[in-house]
Amino acid sequence: MPGPGQKTKKKRATKILPHPDVPRPSYFGDIENSDSWDFMATTLCQNLQLDLETRHGLKRVHLKFDAICKELDSIYDANVNNVRITGAVVSVASKMCIDSILRTRLVQKGLLVKIIPLLTQDFSRHMALQCLVNITHHGGVEEKKVIAETCTSPLIQVIKDHFNDRKAVELAVITLGHSLHTVVDGTETGLETPYPHILRKLDMHDNLDTITRAIVTHGAQSPQLSVHGLELIAAATYNCKSEVLSIPDLIELLVSGLRSKDWTSRALCLGGIYRMYRKDEQPERLQLDPNKFAAALASTWPEASQRIVMKYGMQKCDFSITLQASMTFQRTMMKVAQDHDLVACGIHIAENILLTEFSIADGVWADEHGRPQDLGLGFIRYLDSLPVCAKAIRQTGRNLDSADILDMKYKIGKQDLSGAFRVAEAALKRNPQLAYAYYALSLSGVTAEGLKAAKKGIRCTQSSPFVRRQLLQRAAEHSCLLGIFSLQTLPPPGSTNWEEGIAFLMNAAEDAKMYLNEAPPDARQMAGHVRILLVLHIQLITTILIGGPETPKDLHDLKENIRRCQLSDEIAEHLGTKLPHPTAVRQVNDLIIKLYERAEQKFGRIIEILVREEDIPYKKPSDEAANDIASWLSRVEIEGTKGVLEGQWRGGATRSKVEPRTGMYRCSYCSNPSAALKKCSGCSQTRYCDANCQKQHWSEHKKTCASKSK
C-alpha cells in the first residue's frame, strides 16, 4: 500500500495469446519444423512472454498462474495430435515445476495426464521422461505419491517395450526411484506403510522384477540407473517382502552391493536385507528350565563343543555359572523362608543378578498339596521377592546399590522399562560407577542414548564380567544398527551424518571384537525386551560392511568367525537354549554368507561402477534433440546465480575420494561415537558426551589439558 503522497504503480499485464481457434500463430510453424526440444520450449516461452530462468520471472508466473495455465491448456487441447506442440507445452509446464508451489498446483491441474501420452511416441518419449525426472527429483511427498499412483504402470511398460533403449530405461527407473520409493518406504512420511491403498493397486512383483532386470542388463553402463534402482529395491524389502523373496536376482544384487566402493551404497544394501527380516521378527524371551538344563549338562556333549568348553574351562562357562546361580537362588529362597531376613536375602539376590541373565528362577511358595502358601514375607512368587527385599534394604539406609539392582531387575522382568530407567537414573545420581544401571538404560531400543549408556557402563568400576559383556553386546548392537540407519538416509560423502554413520559402524566392529575376546564359548546375550542378537553375527556383518571390496570374495578371512557361529549354535542346541525362531540379524548373516561369493560373480561389474548421485559431477548433456531438454530444464537463476540447481539430475561417473574422519566423533572418556560432542573449554581438543564424562576423565586429562590450552 503506497504511503502519503505516493502513487500506486500499475501492474503490467502478462501478454496472453488469443485462443488457437482464431488465426494460427506463425511461431507454431517454427516449432513444427524443429527437432530441438530446447528450441521448441524456448520459442513457446518467448511468445507467451514467460521468463522461467530467473527468480523474478517465476514470481510473475505466480501472479498470472491461472491465466497462463488456461492458455497452455488451450494450446494443448487445440493441438492434441501434434506431438511437437503438445511436447513444447509439457516442457514449459515441467520447467515451471522447479518452483515447489507451482509444481504442486500444476500436478493438481493434471500435468501428468498430458505427459503420459507422450511416452508412447518415439519422438517425444525421452523428452517426456526427462520432464518426469525433473518433477519427481524436485517434488515433495504428495507429488511423488501422485506420480507413483498415476505413472508407475506406464513407466514399467516403457521399460518392457523399449528394453534396448538404455536412455529410456534409465530415465524411467530414475523416475520410479524417486516416486515409487515414497510409496514403499515411508521414511518421508514417518509411517512404516505410508500408502497401503496405492501398494494394493500396483503389481509390485512385476514392478520390482522389471526394475531388477533393467539393473542387471544396463547397470554396468549406467551408474544412475543402478543407484536409483538399488535405492528403490532396498526400500521395498520391508513392505514388499514376499515379492522381493520371489526374485532371486534382486536379493543377490543387494548382497553384491556390500562390495561397493561407496560406504553409503553398502549400508543401503545391508539395510535393505535387514528390513526384509525385521518386519516379521517376533520378540523372543528364552525361559530356562533348571531341571532340563542340568540334565543337558549331564548328557554326552558333541565332540567339538566338549573340546572347546574344556579348553576354556568348564567352571568359567555361562552354563556352569547359570546352574550355580540357579542353585544359589533356590538356597536363598529356602533360607529366607526360615529366618525372614529380607535384607540378607536381597543382598544375596543382587549379587546373583550380576552373574548371569538367568539368575532368578520364578516359582511360588506352596503347601504339601501344591497350593500357593503365604509365609508372611510379603510375597508368594519368588520373582516378587525383589521389590520386597529392595524396600527392606532401603529402610536400613545401607547397601543401596543392591536395592537399586533388585528394583531394576524386577521392572525389566516385568517389561516395565520406563520404570527401570527411572530407577537407573536415580541410582546413577547417587553412584555414577554402578554399571548395572547403565545396562538398564542401554535397553532403550536402538537409540544414541542407549549407545551412550552402554559405552559409559563399560568404563564403570563397579561391574562384573557378565554385566560388562552385556554392555559390550548392547554397544555393538546399537552402533551397528545406528550406523546402518544413519547411512541409509543417503547423506553426502564427507558430511557430518556420513562420518557419524561410519563412526558407528567402526565402533560396532571394535566392541564386537572386544566382546568375543572376553566371552565364554557358550555365551548368549539377551537383548532386553525386543530380540536376541548374537555378537558374532554383528561382527561378521560389520566386518563385511567395513571391508567392502577389500573383503575376500570367498570370505576365507572370516572362516573362524563363521565356525564360532556354528559352534555357538551347537552348544545352544545341546543345552536347550537355542531360540525357536532366528533373529533378523541372524537371518541377514546367514543370507550374506550363503550368497556372497555367487552374488559377486554375477553382479560384480555393476557394483564396480556403483556410485551415488552426490558423488557424480555434473556433465552437460549432448545437444541431440532427445537430450537437450535436460539442459534447458536445468537452466535457472536463483538468487542471481546461474547454473545447475543443487540436486538436479546429472550424468557422468567418478569415484568419491572422501575418506571418513571418525576420530573427531568419539567421546574422550567412553569412546561413544557422536556428532554432538562438547569440547573441553580448556584445550578444545578433547570431546565429551556430557559433564559427567568430562568429570570422570578429568583425573587423566588434567595432566595434559593445561599444556594444550597454552
Side-chain angles (χ1 to χ4, degrees):
M1 183 176 181
Q6 293 180 334
K7 295 182 179 180
T8 304
K9 293 182 179 180
K10 293 183 179 180
K11 295 181 179 179
R12 188 166 54 184
T14 301
K15 181 180 177 182
I16 302 297
L17 288 172
H19 194 278
D21 287 341
V22 295
R24 197 166 183 267
S26 60
Y27 72 85
F28 277 17
D30 297 333
I31 293 176
E32 291 170 334
N33 292 325
S34 174
D35 286 332
S36 167
W37 287 112
D38 187 331
F39 174 83
M40 296 181 226
T42 300
T43 299
L44 184 57
C45 281
Q46 290 173 346
N47 283 274
L48 293 179
Q49 293 188 355
L50 295 177
D51 175 8
L52 303 182
E53 297 189 10
T54 67
R55 186 167 177 263
H56 177 70
L58 288 172
K59 288 179 69 175
R60 294 187 63 192
V61 173
H62 277 277
L63 294 174
K64 297 293 182 179
F65 178 78
D66 289 335
I68 292 171
C69 283
K70 183 177 180 180
E71 185 62 31
L72 289 173
D73 286 345
S74 67
I75 294 173
Y76 184 95
D77 293 340
N79 298 274
V80 70
N81 294 319
N82 188 324
V83 68
R84 285 173 169 76
I85 300 294
T86 55
V89 170
V90 164
S91 299
V92 170
S94 296
K95 184 156 185 175
M96 290 165 61
C97 288
I98 201 75
D99 181 291
S100 61
I101 296 175
L102 294 177
R103 179 176 60 244
T104 299
R105 297 179 70 181
L106 285 164
V107 171
Q108 290 174 346
K109 281 183 171 291
L111 173 58
L112 300 179
V113 177
K114 292 181 172 65
I115 294 177
I116 290 174
L118 298 174
L119 296 173
T120 63
Q121 302 193 47
D122 293 339
F123 181 71
S124 60
R125 184 174 302 111
H126 286 189
M127 179 277 298
L129 288 168
Q130 186 62 66
C131 289
L132 284 174
V133 168
N134 192 60
I135 296 169
T136 54
H137 197 106
H138 298 294
V141 172
E142 284 303 310
E143 290 80 43
K144 291 176 182 178
K145 181 193 73 172
V146 174
I147 291 171
E149 188 172 15
T150 306
C151 300
T152 294
S153 294
L155 288 170
I156 292 294
Q157 199 61 47
V158 166
I159 297 174
K160 290 179 177 179
D161 293 345
H162 308 281
F163 199 71
N164 293 326
D165 182 348
R166 189 168 70 234
K167 186 66 176 179
V169 173
E170 178 185 87
L171 293 172
V173 171
I174 291 173
T175 302
L176 290 167
H178 289 302
S179 59
L180 196 53
H181 187 288
T182 299
V183 174
V184 300
D185 180 30
T187 300
E188 294 174 284
T189 62
L191 301 173
E192 287 192 340
T193 309
Y195 303 107
H197 63 288
I198 297 179
L199 274 180
R200 285 193 292 269
K201 295 178 183 178
L202 302 174
D203 185 348
M204 288 307 300
H205 178 276
D206 184 58
N207 296 339
L208 294 172
D209 183 58
T210 302
I211 292 168
T212 300
R213 288 191 298 107
I215 298 172
V216 171
T217 304
H218 300 294
Q221 292 78 39
S222 173
Q224 286 291 338
L225 188 154
S226 295
V227 168
H228 287 84
L230 277 172
E231 286 180 8
L232 174 55
I233 63 178
T237 57
Y238 186 79
N239 285 308
C240 306
K241 178 181 177 180
S242 60
E243 292 88 346
V244 167
L245 287 174
S246 65
I247 307 172
D249 278 355
L250 189 158
I251 302 295
E252 292 181 3
L253 265 174
L254 292 177
V255 174
S256 67
L258 299 176
R259 294 187 60 81
S260 169
K261 293 183 179 181
D262 172 40
W263 268 95
T264 309
S265 295
R266 299 202 296 269
L268 174 78
C269 292
L270 179 58
I273 299 170
Y274 173 72
R275 282 198 303 270
M276 182 167 59
Y277 296 111
R278 182 173 66 88
K279 186 171 187 177
D280 298 328
E281 189 176 38
Q282 302 175 7
E284 298 280 4
R285 291 194 61 82
L286 184 63
Q287 298 297 326
L288 187 66
D289 185 326
N291 295 324
K292 291 182 179 179
F293 190 66
L297 287 174
S299 63
T300 303
W301 282 65
E303 183 178 348
S305 299
Q306 184 177 25
R307 185 168 55 250
I308 194 169
V309 165
M310 296 302 292
K311 181 179 179 181
Y312 183 83
M314 184 169 289
Q315 295 303 314
K316 295 188 297 181
C317 286
D318 262 11
F319 66 78
S320 182
I321 296 173
T322 298
L323 184 60
Q324 186 63 39
S326 178
M327 295 169 61
T328 299
F329 181 76
Q330 293 290 343
R331 288 196 298 269
T332 302
M333 290 293 101
M334 294 304 104
K335 189 173 185 299
V336 76
Q338 297 171 359
D339 60 21
H340 284 219
D341 188 346
L342 294 173
V343 173
C345 176
I347 292 173
H348 288 144
I349 294 174
E351 293 172 349
N352 221 35
I353 289 171
L354 300 181
L355 297 178
T356 176
E357 178 73 21
F358 304 105
S359 55
I360 308 298
D362 200 12
V364 296
W365 301 118
D367 59 21
E368 62 273 15
H369 302 294
R371 293 173 297 196
Q373 185 178 17
D374 188 351
L375 300 181
L377 292 168
F379 63 91
I380 297 177
R381 300 195 68 86
Y382 293 170
L383 182 61
D384 295 332
S385 66
L386 274 64
V388 174
C389 291
K391 182 178 180 181
I393 293 173
R394 292 188 194 282
Q395 290 173 349
T396 69
R398 300 188 302 274
N399 299 303
L400 297 182
D401 286 348
S402 296
D404 290 333
I405 291 170
L406 292 172
D407 280 336
M408 285 184 281
K409 178 69 173 180
Y410 180 74
K411 293 182 182 298
I412 291 171
K414 289 291 187 180
Q415 303 292 296
D416 180 14
L417 289 184
S418 59
F421 298 159
R422 288 193 295 270
V423 176
E425 289 165 356
L428 289 170
K429 289 180 180 178
R430 179 182 51 77
N431 180 7
Q433 292 298 320
L434 186 59
Y436 194 83
Y438 282 118
Y439 164 65
L441 291 175
S442 75
L443 300 177
S444 60
V446 182
T447 64
E449 289 302 312
L451 173 60
K452 184 191 296 185
K455 298 296 287 185
K456 288 187 176 185
I458 292 169
R459 294 292 304 268
C460 285
T461 56
Q462 289 180 233
S463 188
S464 69
F466 163 72
V467 173
R468 176 177 165 78
R469 292 199 303 270
Q470 291 281 75
L471 289 164
L472 284 170
Q473 180 267 326
R474 294 298 296 172
E477 178 189 354
H478 282 304
S479 296
C480 179
L481 297 182
L482 283 171
I484 293 172
F485 295 158
S486 179
L487 292 177
Q488 277 182 237
T489 63
L490 306 182
S495 67
T496 297
N497 288 342
W498 185 82
E499 291 189 341
E500 188 175 47
I502 294 174
F504 280 135
L505 293 170
M506 294 287 196
N507 183 79
E510 292 169 8
D511 287 333
K513 182 179 180 180
M514 193 181 303
Y515 166 83
L516 292 173
N517 288 336
E518 299 178 13
D522 62 331
R524 296 191 59 81
Q525 296 301 317
M526 298 295 292
H529 68 296
V530 181
R531 57 190 177 272
I532 297 176
L533 293 175
L534 291 178
V535 180
L536 279 164
H537 299 143
I538 294 177
Q539 191 199 38
L540 277 167
I541 291 171
T542 53
T543 299
I544 292 172
L545 189 62
I546 292 171
E550 304 303 319
T551 304
K553 298 176 183 179
D554 61 356
L555 300 178
H556 67 263
D557 287 354
L558 300 175
K559 295 298 183 184
E560 177 60 24
N561 286 20
I562 295 171
R563 190 189 68 81
R564 290 189 68 176
C565 286
Q566 295 168 343
L567 186 61
S568 176
D569 278 343
E570 187 178 276
I571 294 174
E573 184 81 44
H574 179 72
L575 296 176
T577 58
K578 187 174 182 179
L579 291 171
H581 305 290
T583 63
V585 168
R586 171 59 184 271
Q587 293 179 84
V588 170
N589 185 75
D590 291 346
L591 182 73
I592 291 173
I593 291 172
K594 177 182 177 182
L595 299 179
Y596 192 79
E597 185 172 9
R598 186 171 75 202
E600 195 283 331
Q601 291 172 350
K602 289 180 67 174
F603 304 122
R605 276 193 66 217
I606 296 173
I607 300 306
E608 280 180 9
I609 57 91
L610 182 62
V611 59
R612 289 184 52 249
E613 191 164 314
E614 287 81 357
D615 303 335
I616 304 174
Y618 173 67
K619 179 181 178 182
K620 183 178 179 181
S622 68
D623 292 330
E624 297 175 6
N627 293 328
D628 64 359
I629 192 64
S631 177
W632 184 79
L633 287 170
S634 69
R635 291 200 305 268
V636 67
E637 181 182 341
I638 299 296
E639 300 297 342
T641 303
K642 286 191 175 183
V644 180
L645 287 176
E646 182 180 357
Q648 177 69 28
W649 179 83
R650 296 166 286 183
T654 60
R655 299 284 179 205
S656 168
K657 298 186 182 301
V658 183
E659 294 295 331
R661 295 178 289 108
T662 59
M664 64 179 294
Y665 296 107
R666 295 293 186 95
C667 172
S668 298
Y669 171 67
C670 70
S671 298
N672 174 50
S674 173
L677 300 177
K678 298 175 177 62
K679 290 183 180 180
C680 169
S681 60
C683 63
S684 297
Q685 297 298 310
T686 54
R687 292 173 168 82
Y688 301 101
C689 301
D690 50 34
N692 184 52
C693 276
Q694 185 179 28
K695 182 178 178 181
Q696 297 297 325
H697 192 236
W698 180 243
S699 61
E700 178 184 340
H701 178 52
K702 65 181 179 182
K703 302 172 185 176
T704 57
C705 183
S707 61
K708 287 182 179 179
S709 61
K710 290 180 180 179

